[in-house]
Amino acid sequence: MNRVIARKLAANVSRLKVRQEYFCTDAAARVSGFYRGQSSQEHKEKNDFANNIQQYDIAIVGGGMVGMALACSLASMPLTKHLNVAIIDGNPALGSRVSLNKGDPPDARVSTVTPATISLFKDVGAWQYIEQNRHAYFDKMQVWDYTGLGYTRYNARDINKEVLGCVVENKVLHDSLLSCIETSDFQKTFHPSRLTSMTLHPSSSSMGMDSTLLKTPSSSLGHLAKLELSDGKSIFAKLVVGADGGKSRVRELAGFKTTGWNYSQDAVICTVEHSVENQCAWQRFLPAGPIALLPMGNNFSNIVWTMNPKEAMNRKLMNEDDFVKDTNAALDYGYGPHPKSSLLEMGDMFSWLRGDVTLSATEGFEVPPKVVKLASERMVFPLSLKHANDYASKHVVLIGDAAHTVHPLAGQGVNMGFGDALALSRVIAEGIAVGIDIGEVTMLKKYEEERKRENIMMMAILDGFQKAYSVDFGPLNLLRAAVLHGANYISPLKRNIISYASGDQRLPLFS
Amino acid sequence: MASKLLNHCHLRALCSTHVFSPRFPHPTRATLTLLHFRPFSDAPSSPPPEKPQSYNNTRNDIGMEKGPTQTPSSLKELELVKFASIAETWWDSEGPFKPLHVMNPTRLAFIRSTLCRHFRKDPNSSRPFEGLKIVDVGCGGGILSEPLARMGAAVTGVDAVEKNIKIARLHADLDPVTSTIEYCCTTAERLVEEERKFDAVISLEVIEHVADPAEFCKSLAALTIPDGATVISTINRSMRAYATAIIGAEYILHWLPKGTHQWSSFLTPEELVLILERANITVKELAGFVYNPFTRRWSLSDDISVNFISFGTKNAQ
């Protein structure tokens, strides 16, 4: 019997075997190299036999950081590592891996990854590649505002953690996931193509006894979604994952509605250089929006500076020296004084509440290291918030920016996406454990329920921050200073705020 | 196929020399073959009716529309008519069978863990039941049979309602993995007459609908190989079950059509253990299902006051 099953499996696999995709780029060639050992002639025959239909368990549309994280997570779990996955991405950059040189100045597109994301990367085996490249852990964070009324310093020790997070270039994150998937023996096929249309086959309930549908030769594909690609190929999958970013085509084709708004604000993003190494994450709230300075190692830092679109254009176009001057002002005396230490009396307001004073509360206010030089081009991105009303329906599910786009305020966007990837792969594994079809909507809704709650909570916090800090109004300034100040002194509250920001899945105030 | 099965029996050193073969002619084989068209199936050259069963051998004497059955059966006629009327909605996860769809992962989790332990299968495998022959008695539209097949088992699904079997067959054929399921419109009693044997016999949410639970359990036991497993789930005859499963689920929440359950036909866990004991099956594990209205999910628990599931093994004679 076992032999029979083995033969059956072999027959199935070879018939379903996907056509090999050869890329011109070296990295992609390495990816497809797994199939090289086998006779391509034999495959060709099998494929012709199967009428060129390519069938997968999962089609991931979008091979960015979140899509690749899902692939790595699936490859790393015993119950999902047998899945046959297609990765569809029209961006040729997916194949051509940028050569990462530690000597080059860092790319301006970075992410602040939380301890939760770090442990995901460690679990899938991708963190070792990050450690070989440039990355900067930080264990301190200072948040203050321009009115000089309050500041707060966070320290990893407050929550018994080694680090608060790590700043990594997006290209390093992406590359580490690619390396990780290449070295696994996971069955994956890259399609360097775009999704043009998608047919989510009629649900089995509506099919009922409609025998005309079932008599057609395609009946065995009736439980699959059909994807048509820009290179003319059609592929079939039990589950389509939309990991194709804020302008998701999958979301559009599946008809998921979104809720959201633009902030009529832009973020200016660039890399800067200091004369000393920066080891702390800094964030200052200015009248027009926050400026963040994130350590990147080797005396480099990353700047994410939010302002109105007109100012943003000015700052993008102004000469480099003026920009450096502006930046230093924004991180120091510009717009208002340093928070005074005399504000301690304000802390006393909360003394009746305060249990044990956390260690860092006694640390004084510090001024961030001076920026000496601009080290990359300046990029401008509009800020918006967008949330899909549904993440899942039969055969299709959204993860990452396709499901939710946020303000880059706390660097949470990609962490939310990694959280989605992990949650989805776990739900798929649970489904496989009990023999549920992986396109089954009841299973996918479980993922949606779990992540929607998390993501909406995070989005509400970030949006609240954004609103609270984009209004320049006296009493409100006092109030948020009090919040910052209170947060600095009331340790349990502060601990909860940091652990939430560092990805522990707990409600900040009700745990 | 028969030789494969024999082979399998030898491998497992468990039993038994009987060979099944189709004993009845197949007047509708042509239609069946059409429905069985599967470009991705494992054996395109060998047509599916090779299976050791006869899909329609009982259609004329047990078919619901034909009125009372002539074979001895522990089934209640009224119950069968009730289910035939809603059969088409089996796979609508928002339809009348929604409660079963929602409960399905939880009951499968129990089956997975007990069978993996009993048959010493790898719980980390995606197909842990590979090599096991399982019968799903009262399979309905196949919402339990299909997951069992995906988990690697060779599944036989039987139901006395012919409409259910048709729906189950059509739905299973959508996926090459589940199209291997053998569906028959028949009863446990008739399978016993045919001397069929299985490694595991599973009958979920069925015993409360049969006329003679003790006879039914005897049939299930007769289908189980010595040291094989029998899994049964049902609803307790408790006041809480009356309040939740009948008043709550049928009258207030409208989860189930009114009249789905008769409280007086429910069995208590003690009664079930006792009648299984008399049928030579020792119950090894009992678990309850509890519903959390906030998460809208079922979970396993030791509270067996409403829904419960039992795992037993057949004593070696």
Side-chain angles (χ1 to χ4, degrees):
Chain A
M1 190 66 176
N2 289 340
R3 251 185 307 123
V4 172
I5 285 166
R7 219 182 312 133
K8 277 182 192 172
L9 278 178
N12 265 341
V13 167
S14 55
R15 204 155 302 135
L16 304 184
K17 195 99 230 171
V18 294
R19 240 189 314 172
Q20 297 176 46
E21 306 294 334
Y22 287 108
F23 296 83
C24 11
T25 57
D26 61 337
R30 260 184 289 150
V31 170
S32 51
F34 294 109
Y35 301 120
R36 282 239 178 105
Q38 304 164 23
S39 150
S40 57
Q41 187 57 42
E42 186 189 335
H43 277 263
K44 207 164 180 204
E45 280 164 22
K46 289 275 163 52
N47 279 316
D48 290 342
F49 182 79
N51 209 12
N52 254 341
I53 290 167
Q54 303 192 21
Q55 195 182 341
Y56 300 93
D57 292 310
I58 300 179
I60 301 175
V61 182
M65 292 190 283
V66 173
M68 293 311 296
L70 175 67
C72 288
S73 185
L74 291 171
S76 71
M77 292 195 287
L79 285 168
T80 53
K81 64 176 187 222
H82 67 284
L83 293 174
N84 185 6
V85 171
I87 299 163
I88 297 150
D89 195 314
N91 182 3
L94 180 65
S96 64
R97 281 182 20 183
V98 277
S99 57
L100 299 169
N101 189 342
K102 274 186 143 179
D104 293 343
D107 198 78
R109 270 162 289 211
V110 303
S111 294
T112 313
V113 297
T114 59
T117 299
I118 295 174
S119 69
L120 163 69
F121 271 66
K122 283 184 177 159
D123 288 347
V124 304
W127 194 252
Q128 47 170 326
Y129 301 106
I130 304 258
E131 282 179 328
Q132 291 161 13
N133 280 295
R134 181 167 36 222
H135 62 286
Y137 289 106
F138 62 95
D139 60 359
K140 291 194 289 280
M141 189 155 96
Q142 176 175 294
V143 183
W144 72 109
D145 82 352
Y146 71 96
T147 59
L149 289 173
Y151 75 94
T152 189
R153 283 181 72 82
Y154 299 119
N155 197 312
R157 276 171 301 171
D158 297 344
I159 50 167
N160 297 319
K161 290 237 162 91
E162 297 272 301
V163 294
L164 285 174
C166 185
V167 183
V168 189
E169 289 153 77
N170 290 353
K171 65 179 186 192
V172 173
L173 286 170
H174 190 232
D175 192 73
S176 72
L177 294 166
L178 268 179
S179 307
C180 175
I181 202 84
E182 273 176 35
T183 49
S184 76
D185 53 3
F186 194 52
Q187 288 182 64
K188 69 270 157 185
T189 311
F190 287 88
H191 290 272
S193 188
R194 278 178 304 105
L195 175 65
T196 54
S197 76
M198 180 165 80
T199 319
L200 304 166
H201 273 261
S203 69
S204 46
S205 58
S206 62
M207 155 210 98
M209 301 291 273
D210 184 359
S211 51
T212 50
L213 174 76
L214 288 152
K215 275 177 194 160
T216 62
S218 66
S219 67
S220 79
L221 299 170
H223 67 303
L224 302 175
K226 182 184 184 189
L227 304 178
E228 277 163 54
L229 308 183
S230 56
D231 60 5
K233 269 191 222 121
S234 295
I235 65 170
F236 290 85
K238 288 179 186 160
L239 175 64
V240 180
V241 180
D244 47 350
K247 292 181 183 132
S248 173
R249 180 91 175 121
V250 173
R251 186 181 65 214
E252 186 192 328
L253 291 170
F256 290 123
K257 301 264 182 301
T258 59
T259 308
W261 44 84
N262 292 320
Y263 289 109
S264 66
Q265 276 189 315
D266 285 358
V268 177
I269 293 168
C270 61
T271 307
V272 294
E273 201 172 344
H274 308 285
S275 49
V276 290
E277 181 147 4
N278 173 21
Q279 284 169 331
C280 175
W282 312 85
Q283 186 149 314
R284 188 183 188 209
F285 290 96
L286 301 176
I291 178 168
L293 183 75
L294 301 167
M296 295 193 63
N298 311 90
N299 295 358
F300 289 109
S301 284
N302 183 262
I303 282 187
V304 181
W305 192 353
T306 309
M307 59 192 82
N308 70 49
K310 195 164 157 266
E311 269 186 295
M313 203 34 75
N314 280 343
R315 289 219 165 83
K316 183 181 160 76
L317 299 173
M318 68 171 44
N319 77 46
E320 293 195 6
D321 290 342
D322 289 345
F323 182 80
V324 168
K325 215 179 284 169
D326 263 17
T327 309
N328 281 325
L331 289 166
D332 199 347
Y333 274 109
Y335 308 96
H338 292 165
K340 282 167 255 148
S341 44
S342 66
L343 264 171
L344 272 175
E345 66 239 32
M346 199 159 188
D348 290 342
M349 272 167 48
F350 300 100
S351 58
W352 56 276
L353 261 174
R354 126 170 53 133
D356 51 326
V357 176
T358 54
L359 222 76
S360 49
T362 55
E363 287 174 21
F365 174 81
E366 277 178 36
V367 179
K370 284 269 169 295
V371 171
V372 294
K373 190 166 153 257
L374 189 66
S376 77
E377 55 166 340
R378 285 158 282 181
M379 289 179 284
V380 175
F381 295 99
L383 299 185
S384 65
L385 179 141
K386 200 183 262 180
H387 187 256
N389 300 352
D390 294 295
Y391 293 4
S393 72
K394 197 169 170 63
H395 297 314
V396 62
V397 65
L398 302 177
I399 60 173
D401 280 3
H404 42 74
T405 313
V406 295
H407 191 281
L409 190 72
Q412 288 301 325
V414 81
N415 292 303
M416 287 160 73
F418 289 140
D420 292 348
L422 181 63
L424 180 60
S425 57
R426 279 191 185 146
V427 164
I428 291 172
E430 281 169 27
I432 288 173
V434 294
I436 305 288
D437 176 30
I438 60 173
E440 192 54 60
V441 69
T442 44
M443 183 194 85
L444 300 173
K445 283 285 174 191
K446 204 167 147 191
Y447 152 79
E448 175 183 296
E449 253 170 59
E450 181 185 335
R451 289 308 297 170
K452 222 180 190 177
R453 203 176 50 228
E454 284 304 320
N455 291 336
I456 286 178
M457 177 65 62
M458 183 52 82
M459 291 177 91
I461 291 172
L462 297 179
D463 186 53
F465 256 112
Q466 152 70 25
K467 295 241 160 73
Y469 286 98
S470 51
V471 180
D472 191 14
F473 175 61
L476 200 63
N477 291 349
L478 256 176
L479 187 69
R480 65 183 183 229
V483 169
L484 277 184
H485 220 78
N488 204 18
Y489 280 93
I490 307 166
S491 14
L493 174 67
K494 179 167 149 182
R495 273 197 203 119
N496 282 332
I497 289 175
I498 333 180
S499 42
Y500 202 69
S502 59
D504 283 359
Q505 307 193 332
R506 283 187 300 150
L507 301 186
L509 299 174
F510 308 103
S511 54
Chain B
M1 188 65 184
S3 67
K4 282 181 207 166
L5 290 168
L6 264 183
N7 208 348
H8 154 65
C9 288
H10 278 301
L11 273 176
R12 298 189 45 78
L14 283 171
C15 70
S16 91
T17 47
H18 67 260
V19 175
F20 351 99
S21 55
R23 287 185 294 180
F24 299 89
H26 268 285
T28 56
R29 186 160 286 177
T31 0
L32 276 178
T33 316
L34 253 183
L35 292 176
H36 277 273
F37 191 100
R38 298 190 296 271
F40 288 99
S41 83
D42 43 281
S45 53
S46 59
E50 260 195 25
K51 285 173 185 171
Q53 55 106 13
S54 36
Y55 168 81
N56 60 329
N57 57 358
T58 51
R59 85 184 277 162
N60 292 327
D61 46 9
I62 293 214
M64 274 321 303
E65 298 83 353
K66 298 272 170 176
T69 156
Q70 289 130 37
T71 43
S73 162
S74 53
L75 291 166
K76 281 187 204 166
E77 279 318 307
L78 209 66
E79 299 283 330
L80 297 185
V81 176
K82 209 155 71 186
F83 282 103
S85 64
I86 51 172
E88 273 164 42
T89 53
W90 269 109
W91 286 96
D92 179 0
S93 56
E94 293 297 316
F97 294 103
K98 183 180 178 183
L100 282 185
H101 283 279
V102 179
M103 203 188 210
N104 214 21
T106 315
R107 49 192 213 173
L108 281 157
F110 177 86
I111 292 168
R112 180 187 173 93
S113 78
T114 50
L115 295 192
C116 278
R117 221 173 312 144
H118 181 69
F119 292 105
R120 295 196 178 79
K121 299 288 184 178
D122 175 12
N124 280 329
S125 160
S126 57
R127 293 171 64 83
F129 294 167
E130 212 123 73
L132 289 184
K133 269 172 48 120
I134 299 182
V135 63
D136 176 9
V137 177
C139 62
I143 64 177
L144 184 80
S145 298
E146 289 195 12
L148 292 172
R150 283 197 197 88
M151 288 153 87
V155 180
T156 301
V158 302
D159 201 291
V161 178
E162 196 187 346
K163 220 165 159 190
N164 284 346
I165 290 296
K166 277 186 186 161
I167 303 258
R169 179 77 269 157
L170 285 175
H171 195 273
D173 281 344
L174 292 175
D175 187 342
V177 182
T178 52
S179 64
T180 58
I181 299 172
E182 172 201 4
Y183 281 117
C184 324
C185 180
T186 184
T187 60
E189 284 79 4
R190 199 170 261 274
L191 288 180
V192 175
E193 282 171 22
E194 294 170 21
E195 301 189 334
R196 301 286 302 265
K197 295 278 177 189
F198 300 89
D199 298 306
V201 176
I202 302 180
S203 183
L204 304 190
E205 313 302 323
V206 170
I207 198 168
E208 67 270 24
H209 301 287
V210 306
D212 187 345
E215 276 308 306
F216 182 67
C217 285
K218 271 185 200 153
S219 301
L220 297 186
L223 294 174
T224 314
I225 59 163
D227 203 34
T230 309
V231 179
I232 294 174
S233 78
T234 184
I235 307 179
N236 197 340
R237 197 176 66 250
S238 66
M239 286 320 284
R240 264 193 64 201
Y242 183 71
T244 55
I246 295 183
I247 303 297
E250 292 179 20
Y251 289 85
I252 299 175
L253 299 170
H254 303 296
W255 279 1
L256 298 170
K258 285 172 194 162
T260 301
H261 288 120
Q262 300 295 321
W263 187 67
S264 55
S265 16
F266 291 171
L267 289 174
T268 66
E270 295 79 7
E271 288 165 345
L272 181 67
V273 169
L274 202 69
I275 60 175
L276 283 172
E277 199 63 58
R278 288 193 189 131
N280 213 14
I281 288 169
T282 310
V283 173
K284 301 271 178 72
E285 282 188 54
L286 263 183
F289 295 122
V290 291
Y291 183 73
N292 181 336
F294 298 106
T295 60
R296 281 170 288 156
R297 304 234 169 257
W298 290 87
S299 55
L300 287 170
S301 123
D302 51 11
D303 174 8
I304 52 172
S305 65
V306 184
N307 295 85
F308 67 96
I309 187 164
S310 76
F311 161 81
T313 55
K314 185 168 178 187
N315 308 334
Q317 274 119 351

